Amino acid sequence: MMLSMVKSGLKAFWKDEKGIGTLEMILILVVILIIALIFKDKITALVNNLFRNIDNKSKGFLE
């Protein structure tokens, strides 16, 4: 009785396609995180360079 309810629940969950969007979003986020970890040093250098430029431009504007 209980086993058949669990089995039918698992079948319904497997056939349900509403969760596919969630799975796709999770996979996309994982890929983005992996890419960010691979290029972490380059991303950090780029952001630091951008902030340095912003700081220099703002100092020039205030002087």
Side-chain angles (χ1 to χ4, degrees), residues 39-57:
F39 295 108
K40 181 179 79 168
D41 295 333
K42 291 188 181 201
I43 293 171
T44 304
L46 175 67
V47 170
N48 286 335
N49 190 20
L50 288 174
F51 278 122
R52 195 175 312 113
N53 287 339
I54 291 171
D55 189 43
N56 290 338
K57 299 269 184 180

Side-chain angles (χ1 to χ4, degrees), residues 29-47:
L29 287 174
V30 167
V31 169
I32 289 172
L33 286 173
I34 290 172
I35 291 171
L37 287 174
I38 291 172
F39 295 108
K40 181 179 79 168
D41 295 333
K42 291 188 181 201
I43 293 171
T44 304
L46 175 67
V47 170

Side-chain angles (χ1 to χ4, degrees), residues 17-29:
E17 294 185 7
K18 289 186 279 187
I20 297 296
T22 304
L23 178 63
E24 289 169 351
M25 291 300 291
I26 291 171
L27 289 174
I28 290 170
L29 287 174

